[in-house]
Amino acid sequence: ISGLMAIVKVSQTSAEQDAIEYTQAACQSRPAAMKGRQMGDWSAAPWDNDEAADWFECYWNGGGMDLVWRTIHGFRADTEQYDAVRAACVVLACFGSAYAWPYAYLEQRLPTLQAAIVLLQNMLQPPSEEWGFLEMWGNNAAVVAAVEEQIRQLQLHIGLP
């Protein structure tokens, strides 16, 4: 029986390692991994959809502030990763205060908050036809209100009313 337990243990370890490697690979190439994986939107909240859930998985599995920074500063409208941006903005709203912001990223705080606000504003007032956020959500009034609230929360961190 102990030999059987060792085989089971090795199999579990191998499966666990495979899962870890898959998650790490997906998180490192986030836009490619998330593209086409939008299976569900559960509500207007920025965390209530598959894309955001995938993004938060990467955040909690080691992506951290580097993932937030890459999501905000690396965004391109043609990738349609709007819900990943909204998820990153949840983290920014929570930790955007100078007192809660990680010290190692302090110089990036203001530019990141400002860039996030611009992205959210562009979702609601598209600067070009590439921006399809409102179309993707069917001009849902609850989603518009949720994005407006995210903008307000981020503006508070940079002293805007």
Side-chain angles (χ1 to χ4, degrees):
I1 291 183
S2 64
L4 180 58
M5 293 298 281
I7 292 170
V8 170
K9 177 100 176 122
V10 169
S11 296
Q12 287 176 337
T13 303
S14 177
E16 290 169 356
Q17 186 60 34
D18 288 347
I20 290 167
E21 288 173 7
Y22 172 80
T23 300
Q24 288 173 339
C27 292
Q28 288 171 357
S29 63
R30 202 65 205 136
M34 287 172 42
K35 190 120 177 116
R37 290 185 64 189
Q38 297 177 4
M39 293 188 298
D41 301 321
W42 313 305
S43 81
W47 53 82
D48 261 356
N49 59 73
D50 284 347
E51 184 178 327
D54 289 345
W55 188 91
F56 280 113
E57 177 185 7
C58 287
Y59 176 80
W60 290 115
N61 285 315
M65 289 306 289
D66 286 331
L67 178 62
V68 173
W69 191 88
R70 284 192 323 266
T71 301
I72 298 301
H73 294 286
F75 178 80
R76 292 187 353 246
D78 65 330
T79 64
E80 297 184 346
Q81 299 299 305
Y82 303 108
D83 292 322
V85 168
R86 292 181 66 211
C89 288
V90 169
V91 173
L92 292 175
C94 290
F95 302 112
S97 161
Y99 303 110
W101 192 268
Y103 181 77
Y105 298 87
L106 199 52
E107 289 183 18
Q108 299 171 7
R109 179 182 162 272
L110 189 56
T112 302
L113 288 168
Q114 290 170 330
I117 291 168
V118 169
L119 289 175
L120 292 172
Q121 289 171 334
N122 286 345
M123 288 181 197
L124 299 181
Q125 298 171 350
S128 70
E129 288 184 20
E130 278 188 311
W131 290 76
F133 175 76
L134 291 175
E135 279 182 38
M136 284 175 53
W137 279 95
N139 291 305
N140 184 310
V143 171
V144 170
V147 173
E148 288 171 341
E149 176 59 22
Q150 285 190 277
I151 293 168
R152 188 191 69 73
Q153 289 173 358
L154 296 180
Q155 287 174 332
L156 292 173
H157 288 305
I158 61 173
L160 294 176

